[in-house]
Amino acid sequence: WLLSKAKENDMSDVLMDYFYKIIDAFRRFSFREWIYTAGYLLTLLCGVFFLIHSFQMRTEEKEFFERALPVTATVSRIEIKYEKDSQDNIIGKREVYVDYEINGNSYEDIYLYRTENSIGKGDLVEVFYDPLNVTEVKIYRDADEAFGLGVLFSVCAIGIPLIFLILQIRRNIY
């Protein structure tokens, strides 16, 4: 329909005509359709936010590891924090703290990360520290893996509501 109209008329007229049809379709929405539309738009906004946040986190991780330097650290302390998971099971998250030395200066009891994995007090681990802030340490993780999951979730959160929204509008146009 749109292409056949475009061949006959000026493209701007065709787009304006289509725009007015969309506005008219919105006017004919029932209350239920408005609720659905609000849900679609909210999910769409959440997907966009999550996508932006994924790019930001990936950029920060890459910047950190570009300037970070490796050092061997010793696990100095492990605290177990008990939490409930999504099925209300109590699980213990281990907060790992390390000691390390850089250029003759000792840094003790520095928070490293939370894990469910077993790691023991006194274990040696390779960590990366930020030369601009030597108390910021991380274990190397591939930022692209977490980024890929973030993008996948975002695409679903953006694409699925967008498809439903377009179908809902088309149903009211024709």
Side-chain angles (χ1 to χ4, degrees):
W1 172 82
L2 190 60
L3 290 176
S4 64
K5 291 288 261 179
K7 290 177 185 174
E8 297 171 12
N9 301 331
D10 182 25
M11 189 62 178
S12 62
D13 292 339
V14 172
L15 291 176
M16 286 305 293
D17 186 39
Y18 198 66
F19 176 74
Y20 287 127
K21 283 183 179 265
I22 291 173
I23 297 299
D24 187 50
F26 275 121
R27 273 193 251 137
R28 287 187 270 142
F29 273 10
S30 67
F31 179 74
R32 185 181 63 157
E33 289 173 319
W34 276 111
I35 297 297
Y36 289 157
T37 301
Y40 299 151
L41 292 176
L42 184 63
T43 306
L44 188 81
L45 288 174
C46 288
V48 169
F49 170 77
F50 198 73
L51 185 63
I52 291 169
H53 184 69
S54 295
F55 274 105
Q56 179 185 4
M57 293 296 291
R58 179 176 184 244
T59 302
E60 288 174 5
E61 281 285 304
K62 284 193 175 269
E63 287 174 358
F64 175 86
F65 284 111
E66 284 174 0
R67 70 176 176 269
L69 299 172
V71 66
T72 300
T74 305
V75 175
S76 61
R77 169 169 71 101
I78 298 173
E79 285 185 11
I80 300 177
K81 304 277 182 164
Y82 293 98
E83 300 175 345
K84 288 186 177 183
D85 65 6
S86 59
Q87 287 88 30
D88 285 335
N89 299 321
I90 296 177
I91 56 170
K93 295 277 188 167
R94 304 161 67 86
E95 293 188 347
V96 179
Y97 295 82
V98 294
D99 296 340
Y100 53 94
E101 188 175 306
I102 301 170
N103 299 329
N105 297 323
S106 293
Y107 299 92
E108 298 177 358
D109 219 25
I110 305 297
Y111 176 77
L112 181 58
Y113 70 106
R114 273 184 120 165
T115 183
E116 294 176 19
N117 299 332
S118 61
I119 190 168
K121 184 176 178 180
D123 287 354
L124 297 177
V125 291
E126 183 180 48
V127 298
F128 291 83
Y129 70 94
D130 185 349
L132 305 174
N133 178 8
V134 293
T135 59
E136 183 181 358
V137 292
K138 295 182 181 184
I139 287 184
Y140 179 75
R141 287 189 299 258
D142 188 6
D144 290 335
E145 184 177 313
F147 174 71
L149 291 174
V151 169
L152 178 65
F153 174 77
S154 298
V155 166
C156 291
I158 292 169
I160 292 170
L162 197 58
I163 289 169
F164 282 115
L165 188 60
I166 290 169
L167 290 174
Q168 188 172 338
I169 291 170
R170 286 182 56 96
R171 194 172 32 245
N172 282 316
I173 288 177
Y174 301 113

